[in-house]
């Protein structure tokens, strides 16, 4: 974090906060018919950002945000920057001895301040004016770049509740950008059950059967071609945006590595979805967890990777109970989000047979990752021991490859065993050490040498 940029951001945000406080004070005075200098919040000019090089100013200028969008942005930022500013919304309605419904707001679990909702935004910008309220809601939900690009969003609401009653949330990446000047990528959390995965390996170290690799290359080609697709109206009318692929095969055959390398080669982040965090026993929670990921990913050009996908995408059950019906509704919801996703989604499973047949029609490709053949195993042994460990030069990898049918993952485990052996004994790695590692791997499968 650069101190200079931090200082610029702080100064700009301080000016925006003072402007926001004036706008909020004006809104409340007008609503309660108190004496006020202004006739409308619209009359209050926002601070000039001309020649301002702060992260916030650059964003506002580049996206040509108008006054109401800047107020919306500041409203969402206020709990993070100056939470006491919103304490005015705790005012109680004396007639009903409760808070004002029109103020909106959400009560936090640990946060003692006021958390604004979409209703709060409508009150701030429209006050008592019903026509203006309707226009404002339509603008933000349909036209504003803030909501379109998921910079701001409303939290999930229960069925039947007004959509604007959801909490107004700012994307954590942009919160970081506006304050520290660093565009941090989202991290794993209960509210965002996905993890960024990377690899340091180069593309030419992807050891696959030639046919499998050609199918993977097709996906890489699509990622580049998709940019043209988005600009070609004729093609868009025929081919739906997005690409869905299923990787299936035994563990350790390179499915996860392939996804990571696709991201690295094409400059896209790969987020692996933690299905144990996504799937919930509580009705409706699974949709919420999935929506949190898809809503952000749709504007980021991420690659979404569902590993062990049969845990969520398995065969649908007969609707013999209410729980079965809700489970099938969750799958239907997920299918729809996957079909509507404009980017690349890859699902991986060890057993293709476990997946619901309805998914097959939705994949552009289904790629089998078989156990590597002798030729591929030789390359995997050499990559592991000669390229990275720089050891085992006297080991006959051709012989090992012909005799033991191991996956790339298993060979990596053998390498780990040998490196630990070398660390403990201070001896060079030899074929006996490798054979001991192979024995350990085979014992996992109930086999012996």
């Amino acid at each position: 974090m650069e101190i200079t940029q931090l200082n610029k951001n702080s100064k700009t945000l301080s000016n925006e906060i003072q402007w926001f406080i004036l706008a909020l004070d004006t809104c409340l005075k007008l609503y309660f018919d108190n004496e006020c200098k202004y006739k409308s919040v619209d009359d209050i000019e926002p601070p000039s950002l001309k020649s301002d090089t702060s992260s916030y100013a650059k964003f506002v200028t580049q996206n040509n945000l108008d006054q109401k969008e800047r107020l919306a942005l500041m409203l969402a930022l206020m709990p993070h920057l100056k939470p006491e500013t919103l304490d005015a919304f705790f005012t109680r309605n004396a007639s009903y001895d409760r808070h004002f419904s029109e103020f909106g707001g959400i009560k936090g679990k640990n946060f003692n301040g006021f958390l604004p909702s979409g209703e709060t935004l409508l009150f701030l910008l429209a006050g008592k004016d019903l026509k203006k309220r309707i226009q404002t809601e339509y603008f933000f939900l349909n036209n504003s770049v803030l909501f379109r690009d998921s910079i701001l969003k409303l939290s999930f609401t229960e069925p039947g509740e007004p959509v604007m009653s959801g909490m107004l949330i700012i994307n954590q990446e942009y919160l970081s950008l506006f304050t520290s000047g660093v565009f941090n990528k989202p991290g794993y959390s209960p509210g965002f059950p996905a993890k960024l995965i990377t690899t340091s390996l180069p593309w030419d170290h992807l050891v696959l059967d030639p046919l499998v690799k050609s199918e993977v290359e097709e996906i890489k080609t699509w990622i580049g071609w998709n940019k043209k697709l988005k600009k070609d109206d004729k093609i868009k009318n025929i081919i739906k945006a997005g690409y869905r692929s299923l990787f299936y095969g035994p563990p350790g055959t390179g499915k996860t590595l392939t996804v990571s390398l696709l991201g690295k080669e094409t400059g896209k982040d790969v987020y692996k979805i933690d299905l144990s965090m996504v799937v919930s026993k509580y009705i409706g929670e699974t949709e919420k967890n999935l929506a949190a990921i898809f809503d952000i990913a749709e504007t980021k050009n991420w690659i979404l990777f569902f590993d062990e996908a049969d845990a969520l995408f398995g065969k649908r059950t007969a609707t013999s109970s209410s729980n079965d019906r809700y489970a099938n509704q969750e799958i239907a919801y997920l299918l729809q989000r996957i079909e509507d996703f404009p980017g690349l989604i890859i699902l991986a499973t060890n057993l293709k047979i476990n997946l619901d047949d309805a998914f097959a029609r939705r994949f552009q490709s289904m790629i089998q990752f078989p156990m590597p053949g002798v030729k591929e195993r030789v390359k995997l042994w050499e990559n592991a021991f000669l390229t990275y460990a720089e050891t085992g030069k006297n080991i006959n990898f051709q012989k090992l490859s012909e005799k033991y049918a191991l996956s790339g993952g298993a060979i990596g485990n053998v390498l780990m065993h040998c490196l630990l052996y070398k660390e403990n004994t201070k001896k060079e790695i030899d074929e006996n050490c490798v054979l001991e590692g192979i024995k350990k791997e085979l014992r996992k499968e109930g086999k012996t040498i």
Side-chain angles (χ1 to χ4, degrees), residues 298-344:
E298 284 176 349
T299 61
K300 300 296 183 183
N301 291 319
W302 291 343
I303 297 173
L304 293 184
F305 177 47
F306 290 85
D307 197 10
E308 299 180 11
D310 43 315
L312 184 58
F313 301 83
K315 294 183 182 295
R316 282 180 276 189
T317 59
T319 55
S320 58
S321 69
S322 60
N323 286 338
D324 292 336
R325 287 193 295 274
Y326 280 115
N328 288 342
Q329 286 175 16
E330 289 174 345
I331 293 173
Y333 169 82
L334 181 55
L335 280 171
Q336 191 60 53
R337 291 305 300 257
I338 286 176
E339 285 210 57
D340 293 340
F341 188 69
L344 174 61

Side-chain angles (χ1 to χ4, degrees), residues 58-75:
K58 288 179 181 177
F59 174 82
V60 170
T61 303
Q62 289 169 0
N63 289 279
N64 197 28
L65 299 190
D66 62 18
Q67 183 199 42
K68 57 180 175 289
E69 287 176 303
R70 284 172 68 171
L71 282 172
L73 202 54
M74 290 309 299
L75 178 62

Side-chain angles (χ1 to χ4, degrees), residues 109-129:
K109 291 182 179 179
N110 300 310
F111 181 69
N112 289 324
F114 183 91
L115 292 170
S117 65
E119 291 285 354
T120 315
L121 177 61
L122 295 181
F123 174 78
L124 177 66
L125 298 177
K128 301 176 183 179
D129 191 327

Side-chain angles (χ1 to χ4, degrees), residues 219-254:
I219 296 176
K220 188 171 75 166
T221 301
W222 176 87
I223 294 173
W225 177 76
N226 190 41
K227 297 176 183 177
K228 298 178 181 178
L229 171 62
K230 291 179 179 178
K231 298 177 181 178
D232 193 321
D233 292 332
K234 293 181 179 179
I235 298 179
K236 283 194 298 185
N237 291 331
I238 302 173
I239 300 176
K240 193 171 183 178
Y243 193 100
R244 293 157 292 283
S245 183
L246 173 68
F247 290 0
Y248 65 98
T253 50

Side-chain angles (χ1 to χ4, degrees), residues 24 27-32 75 86-94 98-106 114-125 127-128 133 164-166 168:
L24 175 58
C27 172
L28 291 170
K29 284 180 177 178
L30 292 173
Y31 186 76
F32 290 114
L75 178 62
L86 302 181
D87 285 352
F89 286 122
F90 285 128
T91 303
R92 297 184 70 82
N93 188 326
R98 52 164 293 172
H99 84 284
F100 287 83
S101 301
E102 52 269 49
F103 291 173
I106 301 291
F114 183 91
L115 292 170
S117 65
E119 291 285 354
T120 315
L121 177 61
L122 295 181
F123 174 78
L124 177 66
L125 298 177
K128 301 176 183 179
R133 174 190 169 94
M164 297 303 284
S165 65
L168 185 66

Side-chain angles (χ1 to χ4, degrees), residues 16 23 45 56 170 178 191 198 241 299 304 321 341 363 427:
E16 290 286 296
E45 286 292 325
Y56 175 89
I170 184 167
F178 297 152
T198 59
T299 61
L304 293 184
S321 69
F341 188 69
F363 291 121
K427 295 180 181 179

Side-chain angles (χ1 to χ4, degrees), residues 29-40:
K29 284 180 177 178
L30 292 173
Y31 186 76
F32 290 114
D33 297 320
N34 294 331
E35 185 179 344
C36 183
K37 178 181 177 181
Y38 302 96
K39 294 182 179 180
S40 169

